[in-house]
Amino acid sequence: MYQMFIKRILDTIISGIALIVLSPVILVTAVLVKIKLGSPIVFKQKRPGKDEKIFEVYKFRSMTNARDENGELLPDSMRLTSFGRALRRSSLDELLELYNIFKGDMALVGPRPLAVQYLPYYSDEERKRHSVLPGLTGLAQIHGRNATTWEERFEYDVRYVQHVTFCEDVRIVLETVKVVLVRSGIGERGVDSPIDFDKYRQAQLSEEEKDS
């Protein structure tokens, strides 16, 4: 009952109220992004949602558009400024995902939506993470966030999918607040977090081929 009906109703109400209450913070963040990083203010990227249906996730931009002499974007670590790091560590860059939740693309709690290019590399077990709406936070995020291995993250995701309850969601939200406040286990994509999953899985397959 909770997963099928109540969870979505609560997500809509809470995200709607949060968008109104946090609108001053969202506005100030938008202005700072404009000043520090320029346009566009909003970063949009396609992600797989429930049943692997593709949607567009919204975040505040946290990197510059710096390019090399060939016009190619520089590595993430070189485009991520101190301001961008502060946005990510405080999770302010993810405030716009409240709009995704309000729209119904995401939930407050669920497996984090990852890159579309990862889809071909999931095992059947790992793919179960897409049987529910992706979340703003999830079980993996309160157990190390980006500092965990891919295997650990997916294990937490699948465990959550198999036990979706109101009490568990409340616990995860409260633990998330604690994690954000103490800034624990926060890695930065392309900087100090695990390598992208598709590259990680390709390396695994390559090693298996060498051993066979």
Side-chain angles (χ1 to χ4, degrees):
M1 177 67 75
Y2 170 71
Q3 184 175 354
M4 292 181 64
F5 304 107
I6 300 175
K7 182 176 171 70
R8 177 60 201 146
I9 294 173
L10 288 176
D11 283 339
T12 304
I13 294 172
I14 294 172
S15 61
I17 293 174
L19 283 169
I20 295 172
V21 172
L22 296 174
S23 57
V25 178
I26 293 173
L27 179 59
V28 170
T29 303
V31 171
L32 289 174
V33 170
K34 175 66 175 178
I35 294 172
K36 298 285 189 178
L37 300 174
S39 296
I41 295 172
V42 179
F43 170 76
K44 303 176 183 178
Q45 190 176 57
K46 295 188 181 300
R47 300 286 177 90
K50 186 177 185 297
D51 300 323
E52 299 183 0
K53 179 181 178 181
I54 306 301
F55 72 99
E56 203 165 50
V57 70
Y58 303 101
K59 293 186 178 185
F60 279 117
R61 179 181 171 195
S62 59
M63 291 192 290
T64 69
N65 286 327
R67 298 173 182 271
D68 60 22
E69 61 275 8
N70 298 316
E72 299 292 331
L73 286 172
L74 294 173
D76 291 0
S77 58
M78 298 180 68
R79 294 189 293 124
L80 187 62
T81 65
S82 57
F83 172 72
R85 285 190 172 89
L87 278 182
R88 293 188 178 192
R89 288 170 180 165
S90 63
S91 296
L92 287 174
D93 64 317
E94 297 182 358
L95 280 178
L96 295 182
E97 289 178 43
L98 288 168
Y99 179 59
N100 284 117
I101 297 171
F102 189 75
K103 283 177 58 185
D105 298 324
M106 294 175 59
L108 283 171
V109 180
R112 287 291 297 160
L114 300 177
V116 173
Q117 65 261 30
Y118 294 176
L119 286 175
Y121 298 96
Y122 292 119
S123 67
D124 290 340
E125 182 70 10
E126 293 165 349
R127 199 173 294 277
K128 291 178 181 178
R129 70 192 305 279
H130 296 129
S131 61
V132 299
L133 285 174
L136 180 64
T137 186
L139 195 58
Q141 282 61 55
I142 64 172
H143 289 90
R145 297 186 74 174
N146 293 336
T148 55
T149 65
W150 284 113
E151 287 84 0
E152 290 170 334
R153 291 172 71 176
F154 293 148
E155 182 180 345
Y156 284 125
D157 288 342
V158 174
R159 186 188 305 176
Y160 172 79
V161 167
Q162 294 172 339
H163 301 92
V164 180
T165 66
F166 173 74
C167 290
E168 179 70 348
D169 279 1
V170 171
R171 185 183 75 85
I172 291 173
V173 169
L174 293 177
E175 287 291 327
T176 298
V177 173
K178 177 182 176 182
V179 168
V180 171
L181 289 177
V182 300
R183 299 181 180 181
S184 65
I186 302 176
E188 293 163 355
R189 182 178 180 274
V191 181
D192 56 3
S193 57
I195 65 171
D196 290 347
F197 178 63
D198 51 344
K199 296 176 182 177
Y200 173 75
R201 186 50 55 86
Q202 287 171 0
Q204 277 189 324
L205 294 173
S206 178
E207 287 298 320
E208 290 174 1
E209 288 178 358
K210 290 179 181 179
D211 294 338
S212 62

